[in-house]
């Protein structure tokens, strides 16, 4: 019912910036929270950031606070992740996801809460 496509990944030097985008199609996402996760080989998928449908509430994992900013444009069914001051440990495949709990102010932070996932975009930060 929902397709998510990430874009904006690439190769950057430490200290650089990238802006990831995720566009949803198939249906509107009214009252749905959206988030970003990342994963490297052999590791669990890690929560990065999430935002409520209203846009009023956000959450970030401690390691990216002050460096990453999540935002969304509901008219475009899109979510974004601005990543600044990138570090080599940020290297991962980044995935966007949508939660169909239909709470306009809720910020989903757990993997199991999400219903649909994109295929991911690679972010590589060189030393």
């Amino acid at each position: 019912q929902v397709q998510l496509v990430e874009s904006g990944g690439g190769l950057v030097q430490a200290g650089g910036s990238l802006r990831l985008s995720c566009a949803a199609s198939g249906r509107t996402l009214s009252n749905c929270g959206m988030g970003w996760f990342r994963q490297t080989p052999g590791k669990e998928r890690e929560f990065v950031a999430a935002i409520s449908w209203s846009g009023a509430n956000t959450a970030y994992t401690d390691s990216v606070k002050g460096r990453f900013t999540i935002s969304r444009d509901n008219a475009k069914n899109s979510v974004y992740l601005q990543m600044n001051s990138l570090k080599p440990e940020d290297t991962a495949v980044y995935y966007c996801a949508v939660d169909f709990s239909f709470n306009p102010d809720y910020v989903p932070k757990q993997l199991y809460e999400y219903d649909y996932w994109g295929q991911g975009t690679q972010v590589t930060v060189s030393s």
Side-chain angles (χ1 to χ4, degrees), residues 98-127:
V98 59
D99 163 40
F100 274 87
S101 295
F102 299 111
N103 185 332
D105 298 312
Y106 183 65
V107 181
K109 295 180 286 186
Q110 303 298 319
L111 183 67
Y112 69 85
E113 296 184 89
Y114 288 87
D115 298 286
Y116 293 94
W117 296 84
Q119 292 300 304
T121 185
Q122 177 70 49
V123 172
T124 302
V125 184
S126 62
S127 302

Side-chain angles (χ1 to χ4, degrees), residues 29-96:
L29 303 176
S30 295
N31 300 316
C32 295
M34 297 185 73
W36 290 94
F37 289 73
R38 64 189 180 187
Q39 189 169 25
T40 56
K43 293 185 177 181
E44 298 288 328
R45 192 169 297 182
E46 175 191 22
F47 170 77
V48 177
I51 186 168
S52 64
W53 182 85
S54 68
N57 302 310
T58 60
Y60 300 90
T61 191
D62 287 344
S63 64
V64 307
K65 288 181 179 177
R67 299 189 297 121
F68 292 9
T69 302
I70 189 171
S71 61
R72 67 190 296 166
D73 185 341
N74 289 339
K76 298 180 179 179
N77 281 340
S78 297
V79 64
Y80 310 94
L81 187 67
Q82 178 66 47
M83 305 186 295
N84 298 326
S85 301
L86 283 163
K87 304 174 181 179
E89 52 263 44
D90 294 318
T91 295
V93 176
Y94 283 71
Y95 300 88
C96 68

